[in-house]
Amino acid sequence: MRAWRSMVAILVLAGSCTMSGAAIQQSPAGQQPPAAEKPTPQPTAVPEKKPVIETASTRLVSARNVLIVRTRGSMVPFEVIQSTLDGWGRFTLVETRDKADLIIEIASNGDSSIQVSSSSSVSPDSGKEEKSTSTRKDLTPTAVTMTVSDARNKRPLWSATETVKFAVKEKTKENNLVDAAERLAAKFHQRLEPAAK
């Protein structure tokens, strides 16, 4: 029995030692001591962003506001291209350069027409004034050019030219100008939104 009491006393003593050790480890506010401190994660180095080089393609694709200007020639190509781009829905047509992302210049040149000239001179044989008239057909092909440039720095981004078929009749000339302007607008459309192959 005495052995039994000794054993109980040893267990009680061992338990009180464990409890006093636990009490020593507790903080004064009764909180558990902090767990082993974890190392603070070091901030990872953020790679420095390189400036994005804006190519002609990226500028064309990102542009939304467009100013269309006729620089020379017939109003027909200007009106056709303006109407086509407005109907496309990709761009908003603006009235001033400061609101534009792109400037689109439309020009047509040449005039396949007949020129008549007259002159007069004194004949050495008769001494009388003689009048002469000459006609000349100018067969210089008319061309329509569309030039797209960046409104901020005037850098050319895209350009194309279409030759207008020769015609004698005025109505046919106008129809040929319309065809050339439509081909230009289609080329520009294809440049920005290539058809799936």
Side-chain angles (χ1 to χ4, degrees), residues 30-48:
Q31 298 173 347
Q32 290 293 329
E37 288 189 27
K38 294 180 183 175
T40 313
Q42 296 295 322
T44 56
V46 177
E48 194 173 312

Side-chain angles (χ1 to χ4, degrees), residues 5-51:
R5 281 188 195 167
S6 298
M7 185 82 114
V8 171
I10 292 173
L11 286 175
V12 170
L13 185 61
S16 67
C17 286
T18 306
M19 293 190 70
S20 65
I24 291 171
Q25 287 183 1
Q26 285 185 351
S27 64
Q31 298 173 347
Q32 290 293 329
E37 288 189 27
K38 294 180 183 175
T40 313
Q42 296 295 322
T44 56
V46 177
E48 194 173 312
K49 288 187 176 180
K50 294 181 181 177

